[in-house]
């Protein structure tokens, strides 16, 4: 648990931004090549490259929001929503408008956001609540 508020928010922004970059460079290409046998991962990466900065900024804001709420479950909800929105946007803007592509991109990004939000929410937990951890009797 990190006690300095500014450090928690800064780490949330940085880790969220890195997660957005990872989404465009590895998660979505892997999901698309898993479900579409004739799609090359490098083609998907190249298509998403123009939108990587947008994803980084959106996920950085999501990381800040996870640091703001300071708990695992709300963090999973926040980054899950960020993942769903960014996945559908990236799928629509870069990969195509067919329903299967949007569903695959949205579902993969939603799952990635939920798992990432659980982890990030645990790391950036608020110091005012221990979450049932620590000494109960104070000594």
């Amino acid at each position: 648990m990190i006690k300095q508020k500014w450090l928690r928010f800064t780490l949330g922004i940085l880790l969220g931004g890195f997660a957005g970059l990872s989404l465009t460079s590895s998660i979505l290409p892997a999901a698309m090549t898993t479900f579409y046998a004739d799609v090359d991962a490098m083609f998907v990466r190249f298509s998403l490259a123009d939108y990587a900065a947008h994803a980084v900024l959106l996920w950085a804001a999501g990381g800040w929001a996870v640091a703001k709420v300071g708990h695992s479950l709300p963090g999973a909800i926040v980054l899950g929503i960020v993942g769903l929105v960014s996945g559908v946007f990236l799928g629509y803007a870069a990969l195509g408008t067919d329903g299967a592509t949007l569903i695959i991109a949205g579902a993969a990004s939603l799952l990635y956001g939920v798992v990432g939000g659980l982890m990030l929410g645990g790391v950036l937990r608020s110091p005012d609540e221990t979450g049932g951890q620590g000494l109960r009797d104070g000594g």
Side-chain angles (χ1 to χ4, degrees):
M1 153 179 21
I2 302 169
K3 295 184 192 235
Q4 291 89 6
K5 192 181 222 182
W6 68 270
L7 184 57
R8 274 198 336 251
F9 289 151
T10 303
L11 280 175
I13 291 168
L14 287 174
L15 293 174
F18 287 139
L21 184 61
S22 174
L23 178 74
T24 60
S25 65
S26 64
I27 300 300
L28 286 179
M32 289 299 148
T33 56
T34 299
F35 291 101
Y36 290 117
D38 60 340
V39 174
D40 183 33
M42 287 306 292
F43 172 74
V44 177
R45 281 186 189 92
F46 182 73
S47 298
L48 292 170
D50 290 338
Y51 302 99
H54 300 90
V56 167
L57 290 174
L58 183 62
W59 279 75
W64 177 85
V66 170
K68 183 78 173 160
V69 296
H71 299 288
S72 292
L73 188 58
I77 293 169
V78 166
L79 274 189
I81 292 170
V82 168
L84 180 64
V85 168
S86 64
V88 171
F89 168 74
L90 290 169
Y92 181 80
L95 302 175
T97 59
D98 63 323
T101 300
L102 296 179
I103 290 172
I104 292 168
S109 301
L110 173 69
L111 180 63
Y112 183 62
V114 167
V115 172
L118 283 171
M119 291 190 303
L120 201 60
V123 169
L124 302 175
R125 187 178 61 233
S126 297
D128 55 349
E129 304 221 5
T130 61
Q133 298 175 359
L135 299 175
R136 294 179 191 259
D137 58 356

